Amino acid sequence: MFGNAVFSSLTRRIVFFNLAALVVLVGGILYLNQFREGLIDARVESLLTQGEIIAGAISASASVDTNSITIDPQKLLELQAGQSITPAPNDENLDFPIDPERVAPVLRRLISPTRTRARLFDSDANLLLDSRHLYSQRQVLRFDLPPIGPADIGLGDRFMSWVNRMLQPGNLPLYKESPGGDGQIYPEVMNALTGVRGAVVRVTEKGELIVSVAVPVQRSRAVLGVLLLSTQAGDIDKIVHAERLAIMRMAGVATLVNIVLSLMLSSTIANPLRRLAAAAVRVRRGARQREEIPDFSIRQDEIGNLSVALREMTTALYDRIDAIESFAADVSHELKNPLTSLRSAVETLPLAKTEESKQRLADIIQHDVRRLDRLISDISDASRLDAELARADAVPVDLEVLLGNLVNISRQIRGHKKPVELDYVIDQKPGSRAGFTVNGHDLRLGQIVTNLIENARSFVPDKNGRIVVHLSRSKDRCIVQVEDNGPGIQAEDIDRIFERFYTDRPEGESFGQNSGLGLSISRQIAEAHGGTLRAENMHDEKTGKICGARFILTLPAEHKMA
C-alpha cells in the first residue's frame, strides 16, 4: 500500500505536520498546570479539614487537672495560726499549656492512617512534637543506613527529575527544615499564632512539591499552639507523574495510529500523483506508442479530476500530433503536384520551338504558381487557426446582424459574375424573445458562412441559380442553413467533402482554382466554437429527386442571465 510514498516529500510533510500537532497537544497536556493546581487546592482543603479535626482533639487534651489547687509553699509559712489563704483572681493561672505526653498518643492515632507529617508548636513557635518521632512503648526503631558511597541515580530518574524541575512553576519558595525545631521560619506558623490558618506550597531541591497548612490550636479563643501539617515530598508529584505516564502511553498509541493513518493518507495522495507524474514524463519524452495515463476517475476528488484532465489533455495532444502528421503528409502531397507540373514546364520550356508552345508553357507555369500561392495561403490559414482561436477571447456575436452583412457583401462582390438569387430568411417564432447571439469570433464565423455561400455559388446552374441563407433557433442552439439548387452531393462524398485537400468541382471550372481546404477549415472553426457542420441533399417532395444541397451549421446559443 505504501510503496515509494514512505520516502516521498509529500509523505514526509503529511507525517511531520500531523506529528507536530500531536506533539503540541501532548506537550500541553503534559504541562498539566490546571490539573496540578486543582490537585494542590484539593490537598490544601483536605489538610485544613484534617488540621481542624486534629487541632480540636489536641485542644481538648491540652488542659490541667481542675480537681487540684496549687498553693505557693512560701505563703503557707507566712500564715499565723487560724489564718487561711484565699486564692486571688490575679494569682490564678488561667493558661492551659499543651502537655506533649498527653497529646502524643492522640496525635499518633490521628496521623498514623495518613502519610501526612504533623508538627506541633507551642505559643512561642517552639517545636513540641513531630510525627516522625512519635513511637509507642516497647517499639523497635528501624531505619535504613545511608549508603557508603554516593547514590547511583538511574538515567530514567534523572530524566524525570529534570522534567519535574522544568515543569514546576518558578515562583515557589524553597522548602527547608527548621533548625532546632524553630517554627518562626515558617510564615504560616507565625500567622496561625494570631488565630489565622494558612497554607503555603513549597518545592524541594529535587523539584518535589510540599504543601503545608498551619492551624491554630486554641481553646476559648486562646491560642495554645500551632499544628503544622505537611505532605510528604513527592506525593503530589507522584500523582502527576502517574498521569503523565498514562498520557505518554496514550500518546505512544496515538503516535503509532497517526503515523499509520498519515501513511495511508499519503498512499492515497502521493502514489497517484507519482504515477500521474511518471506517465506525464513518459509522454514528454515521447513513447513509440500512445502512453496511457492512469485512470482515477472513480475517485470523486481533486486527484480524480486531475486524472481526467490529464487523460483528456493527453488524448487531445496525441490527436493533435496525429493531425499535424496527417496535415504535413497531405500538404507535402498537394504541394508536389503543382511543383511537379511546374518543374516539367520549366524543363520543357527551353525545348519549345514555337512561340505558341512557349506561351502555353508560360501559362502553365503561371497557373501552377498561382495554385501554389493559393495552397500556401490556405495552408497557412489552417495551421494558425487553432492558435488564433486559443489566444483570442470569445465575445458575444449576433448571428442575425452578421449574416445580414455577409449576404449583402456577397451580393455586391459576386454580382457581375454568375447571376445568383441570394435570399436571407430569419425564422423567428411569434412572441419569442430568444435571440441569435453566440459566443465566438465574428471573423471566423463569417469565414464559415462565406465559404458555404461561395461553395454553393460554384455549383448552382448558370441560369436561375438560387441560394437561401436560413437562420433559426432550436432550444439552446442557433442553426444556420445554406441551401442551393445545384446538382447536390454524391452520397459517398457527403463526409469526404470535409476532408483536407478533397476537391469535387463542377464541370467547366478550371482545375486548381480551389485548394480543397475551405470546408475542412469551416468544420474546424465550427468545432472550435462547440458546434457542428454537416451536409445533406435536398429532395423534391413530388419526384424524390435531388434538387440541391444543404449545409447545416449548429452553434450553442448564449445563455442570458435573468
Side-chain angles (χ1 to χ4, degrees):
M1 180 186 297
F2 305 125
N4 296 331
V6 176
F7 303 101
S8 67
S9 175
L10 184 60
T11 301
R12 291 195 298 269
R13 293 179 183 178
I14 292 175
V15 173
F16 171 77
F17 285 112
N18 285 342
L19 290 182
L22 181 62
V23 168
V24 172
L25 178 62
V26 173
I29 296 176
L30 286 179
Y31 198 65
L32 292 176
N33 268 345
Q34 295 182 353
F35 174 77
R36 182 171 49 227
E37 295 296 333
L39 187 61
I40 292 174
D41 293 341
R43 198 59 182 271
V44 167
E45 293 296 329
S46 174
L47 289 177
L48 288 174
T49 303
Q50 183 181 357
E52 293 287 350
I53 297 173
I54 298 175
I58 291 175
S59 64
S61 302
S63 62
V64 297
D65 189 0
T66 57
N67 294 325
S68 62
I69 298 177
T70 303
I71 299 177
D72 189 356
Q74 297 295 331
K75 292 185 178 182
L76 289 176
L77 296 176
E78 296 176 356
L79 292 177
Q80 300 297 326
Q83 294 180 344
S84 62
I85 298 177
T86 301
N90 294 334
D91 294 336
E92 291 180 354
N93 186 9
L94 299 179
D95 293 337
F96 298 93
I98 298 175
D99 187 0
E101 293 183 359
R102 300 184 63 178
V103 172
V106 177
L107 187 61
R108 183 187 303 111
R109 286 194 299 270
L110 296 175
I111 291 298
S112 58
T114 66
R115 287 178 47 84
T116 308
R117 180 185 179 184
R119 281 169 285 184
L120 187 62
F121 297 89
D122 60 11
S123 59
D124 295 326
N126 294 320
L127 181 63
L128 296 179
L129 292 174
D130 190 343
S131 61
R132 287 184 176 179
H133 306 98
L134 292 177
Y135 303 100
S136 61
Q137 295 180 357
R138 293 183 298 275
Q139 182 177 359
V140 179
L141 302 181
R142 295 182 301 175
F143 53 89
D144 296 332
L145 295 175
I148 301 176
D152 187 13
I153 303 177
L155 182 61
D157 295 337
R158 292 180 182 178
F159 175 74
M160 293 309 300
S161 177
W162 176 80
V163 171
N164 201 27
R165 286 195 300 270
M166 289 294 296
L167 297 180
Q168 293 290 3
N171 55 352
L172 296 179
L174 183 64
Y175 176 79
K176 294 181 180 180
E177 288 287 344
S178 60
D182 187 9
Q184 294 183 2
I185 67 172
Y186 301 121
E188 64 271 27
V189 173
M190 301 307 296
N191 290 334
L193 289 175
T194 63
V196 180
R197 66 181 188 176
V200 177
V201 180
R202 295 181 177 88
V203 63
T204 64
E205 295 180 352
K206 295 182 179 180
E208 298 172 334
L209 291 176
I210 294 180
V211 179
S212 300
V213 298
V215 179
V217 179
Q218 54 187 1
R219 186 173 185 179
S220 300
R221 296 186 179 181
V223 178
L224 306 180
V226 176
L227 175 65
L228 181 65
L229 297 180
S230 304
T231 61
Q232 298 292 334
D235 283 355
I236 297 178
D237 300 282
K238 288 180 181 178
I239 299 175
V240 177
H241 178 64
E243 293 295 328
R244 287 198 182 108
L245 288 180
I247 292 173
M248 291 300 295
R249 286 192 293 268
M250 294 177 58
V253 176
T255 301
L256 181 60
V257 173
N258 204 337
I259 292 176
V260 173
L261 293 179
S262 298
L263 293 177
M264 294 179 63
L265 176 63
S266 174
S267 66
T268 61
I269 297 176
N271 280 347
L273 291 179
R274 180 178 54 82
R275 292 178 58 187
L276 291 174
V281 170
R282 290 194 296 269
V283 172
R284 178 181 61 83
R285 292 177 178 175
R288 295 182 178 179
Q289 57 184 3
R290 289 200 174 194
E291 182 65 30
E292 186 68 22
I293 300 296
D295 186 9
F296 299 109
S297 57
I298 193 174
R299 298 178 49 154
Q300 301 298 323
D301 55 8
E302 288 75 7
I303 294 181
N305 297 336
L306 177 61
S307 171
V308 173
L310 285 178
R311 288 173 63 87
E312 292 177 353
M313 181 188 68
T314 305
T315 301
L317 177 62
Y318 280 124
D319 292 342
R320 184 64 55 82
I321 293 175
D322 294 341
I324 291 174
E325 293 178 352
S326 176
F327 184 76
D330 293 342
V331 168
S332 175
H333 175 73
E334 291 299 322
L335 289 178
K336 283 183 177 180
N337 290 333
L339 285 176
T340 302
S341 175
L342 183 60
R343 179 181 178 182
S344 300
V346 171
E347 291 177 350
T348 307
L349 184 59
L351 302 178
K353 297 180 179 180
T354 63
E355 291 297 329
E356 183 181 357
S357 300
K358 292 181 180 180
Q359 184 62 38
R360 188 167 53 253
L361 291 175
D363 293 339
I364 294 175
I365 293 174
Q366 291 180 3
H367 178 273
D368 291 337
V369 170
R370 287 193 299 269
R371 184 182 176 191
L372 282 174
D373 181 68
R374 188 178 301 107
L375 278 173
I376 293 174
S377 299
D378 292 344
I379 290 171
S380 176
D381 188 24
S383 62
R384 68 171 182 268
L385 178 62
D386 287 340
E388 180 181 335
L389 293 177
R391 285 194 299 266
D393 295 330
V395 296
V397 178
D398 190 346
L399 289 181
E400 183 177 355
V401 176
L402 178 64
L403 294 182
N405 295 333
L406 293 176
V407 169
N408 291 331
I409 294 174
S410 182
R411 288 170 179 169
Q412 296 174 8
I413 294 178
R414 295 293 185 176
H416 62 283
K417 293 188 177 180
K418 183 190 297 185
V420 175
E421 182 181 354
L422 185 57
D423 296 332
Y424 178 35
V425 180
I426 301 175
D427 185 7
Q428 182 74 38
K429 296 181 180 180
S432 177
R433 297 183 179 180
F436 301 98
T437 303
V438 298
N439 283 324
H441 309 273
D442 54 352
L443 294 179
R444 290 302 181 179
L445 293 177
Q447 182 179 356
I448 298 177
V449 178
T450 301
N451 286 342
L452 296 180
I453 293 176
E454 295 305 318
N455 184 74
R457 187 189 296 273
S458 62
F459 283 95
V460 295
D462 295 336
K463 296 181 180 181
N464 300 325
R466 187 171 184 268
I467 300 175
V468 179
V469 178
H470 187 273
L471 177 61
S472 62
R473 176 160 179 169
S474 174
K475 295 182 180 180
D476 58 347
R477 311 289 287 184
C478 293
I479 302 174
V480 179
Q481 299 181 11
V482 179
E483 303 173 354
D484 63 68
N485 60 347
I489 307 171
Q490 298 293 330
E492 64 274 10
D493 294 336
I494 288 182
D495 291 330
R496 291 192 60 193
I497 59 176
F498 294 102
E499 296 179 0
R500 284 191 300 267
F501 303 112
Y502 177 82
T503 57
D504 184 12
R505 308 312 302 171
E507 297 180 0
E509 185 173 309
S510 302
F511 176 75
Q513 297 297 323
N514 293 275
S515 62
L517 289 173
L519 292 179
S520 176
I521 293 176
S522 298
R523 172 173 279 188
Q524 187 178 357
I525 296 173
E527 292 176 351
H529 285 77
T532 59
L533 178 61
R534 60 187 180 88
E536 64 181 14
N537 288 319
M538 298 187 299
H539 297 81
D540 189 287
E541 296 180 357
K542 296 181 179 181
T543 62
K545 295 182 179 180
I546 297 176
C547 60
R550 178 189 294 120
F551 286 83
I552 304 172
L553 172 64
T554 305
L555 297 172
E558 180 186 21
H559 296 281
K560 293 184 178 180
M561 301 299 293

